Amino acid sequence: MEIERKFLVPAAPDDLGAHPSTAIDQGYLAIDGDGTEVRIRRRDGASTMTVKSGGGRTRAEEELPLDDATFERLWPLTDGRRIEKVRHVIPTDTPGVEIELDTYRGDLDGLVVAEVEFAGEAEADAFEPPAWFGPEVTDDKRYKNQRLAVEGRPDGG
Amino acid sequence: MEIERKFLVPAAPDDLGAHPSTAIDQGYLAIDGDGTEVRIRRRDGASTMTVKSGGGRTRAEEELPLDDATFERLWPLTDGRRIEKVRHVIPTDTPGVEIELDTYRGDLDGLVVAEVEFAGEAEADAFEPPAWFGPEVTDDKRYKNQRLAVEGRPDGG
């Protein structure tokens, strides 16, 4: 099982440019009332479609590659349900634990969110957020990418 | 522009077996609140994904082929949002105008719907439904496949 914690970041660290980064364009084709989403994403020139079921008995996720032409055809259908962000990957003092720092662009410009993935609950509990992390929003559904794409910044910023 | 009229059919014609038919399995991955749908369909052994935008300024539709393995991976994610039907294609007295007669199976067993497509409004208005057609449901949104897949038969049959 994958455990993730999510934090707002008031100001990104000064040495951000020293870490590898990648631009992510992500658009939702449809978000079902039960939370199931179909999204397409382009990252480092590679495009994928991901279907995530909304939960319940059979929570599941499937990903398929898209060629460029197909991505370009589908992208217009995500109008009004998009996020653009730049992701930096930053190591921590704990081996195997990395910070994915997402700096949002476009309509969400100014929003910076850090996500940290852990192998289990114990590791997640033991994690000491760096001083530059802001409030934890792990359980705040308004910061789900799906919601951000449709509703924009929760703080209206 | 494509014009379509849709009718309920109380009893399919006796000579139905004389017309070509094809089995269609159709499942929705997600149906957005704005009506946008992402569906997958298998027909005559060929699988496709179709994205239809819900309407508004940029109504659009895109279709992409799926290989068998991808269809099989995605199909479980359509649980609770599926229709199965057998489609017969029946000619009419008007050249170029055909009846697509959909006989639903599974949860929708017993429902039979005829769809007729026309090149324009004038042709649609001029169409004389055969005696075996029942009430017209062109504007009854409960008979959209998207709604049937989720909500079942409007008449509760």
Side-chain angles (χ1 to χ4, degrees):
Chain A
M1 193 170 62
E2 174 181 288
I3 314 281
E4 196 174 81
R5 293 179 67 184
K6 191 186 286 191
F7 301 84
L8 297 183
V9 174
D14 290 338
D15 67 342
L16 198 57
H19 302 290
S21 73
T22 177
I24 298 174
D25 288 332
Q26 183 165 310
Y28 295 83
L29 290 167
I31 301 168
D32 199 275
D34 73 1
T36 301
E37 61 181 46
V38 183
R39 77 163 195 226
I40 59 175
R41 177 189 256 193
R42 183 160 47 192
R43 180 177 180 170
D44 289 333
S47 302
T48 50
M49 175 183 290
T50 304
V51 184
K52 287 190 197 188
S53 76
R57 206 162 41 87
T58 54
R59 182 150 182 83
E61 178 172 335
E62 292 291 344
E63 189 170 289
L64 45 151
L66 295 179
D67 59 47
D68 281 354
T70 303
F71 181 89
E72 294 295 342
R73 280 199 293 139
L74 294 176
W75 186 250
L77 296 171
T78 66
D79 186 29
R81 289 187 287 263
R82 293 178 188 158
I83 54 175
E84 304 164 61
K85 57 188 178 183
V86 174
R87 172 168 292 175
H88 286 83
V89 179
I90 304 172
T92 67
D93 295 335
T94 309
V97 176
E98 294 174 330
I99 298 162
E100 291 182 338
L101 191 73
D102 288 342
T103 303
Y104 289 81
R105 299 287 168 82
D107 289 345
L108 295 162
D109 199 38
L111 180 64
V112 183
V113 175
E115 286 187 5
V116 193
E117 251 175 48
F118 305 94
E121 294 282 0
E123 291 84 347
D125 288 342
F127 177 68
E128 294 278 354
W132 51 275
F133 274 28
E136 180 161 9
V137 291
T138 302
D139 298 320
D140 189 335
K141 295 191 192 313
R142 298 174 304 162
Y143 287 94
K144 286 166 64 89
N145 281 302
Q146 182 189 99
R147 291 276 294 269
L148 289 171
V150 175
E151 296 168 18
R153 286 181 67 172
D155 56 5
Chain B
M1 192 171 63
E2 175 182 285
I3 313 282
E4 195 173 81
R5 293 178 68 184
K6 190 187 287 193
F7 301 84
L8 297 183
V9 174
D14 291 337
D15 68 341
L16 198 56
H19 301 289
S21 73
T22 177
I24 299 174
D25 287 332
Q26 185 164 309
Y28 295 83
L29 291 167
I31 301 168
D32 200 276
D34 75 0
T36 301
E37 61 181 44
V38 182
R39 77 164 196 225
I40 60 175
R41 178 189 257 194
R42 183 159 49 192
R43 181 177 179 169
D44 289 334
S47 302
T48 50
M49 175 184 290
T50 304
V51 184
K52 288 191 195 188
S53 76
R57 203 162 43 88
T58 53
R59 183 150 180 82
E61 178 172 334
E62 291 292 344
E63 188 170 289
L64 45 151
L66 295 180
D67 59 47
D68 281 354
T70 303
F71 181 88
E72 294 295 341
R73 279 199 294 138
L74 294 176
W75 185 251
L77 296 171
T78 65
D79 186 30
R81 290 187 285 263
R82 293 178 186 158
I83 55 176
E84 304 165 61
K85 57 188 179 183
V86 175
R87 173 168 291 175
H88 287 83
V89 179
I90 303 173
T92 67
D93 294 338
T94 310
V97 176
E98 293 174 330
I99 297 162
E100 291 182 337
L101 190 71
D102 287 343
T103 303
Y104 289 81
R105 298 287 168 83
D107 290 345
L108 295 163
D109 198 40
L111 180 64
V112 183
V113 174
E115 287 186 6
V116 193
E117 249 174 50
F118 305 94
E121 293 282 0
E123 291 84 350
D125 288 342
F127 177 69
E128 294 277 354
W132 51 274
F133 273 27
E136 181 161 9
V137 291
T138 302
D139 298 321
D140 189 336
K141 294 192 192 314
R142 297 175 304 163
Y143 287 95
K144 286 167 66 87
N145 280 303
Q146 183 189 99
R147 292 277 294 269
L148 290 171
V150 175
E151 297 168 17
R153 286 181 67 171
D155 57 6

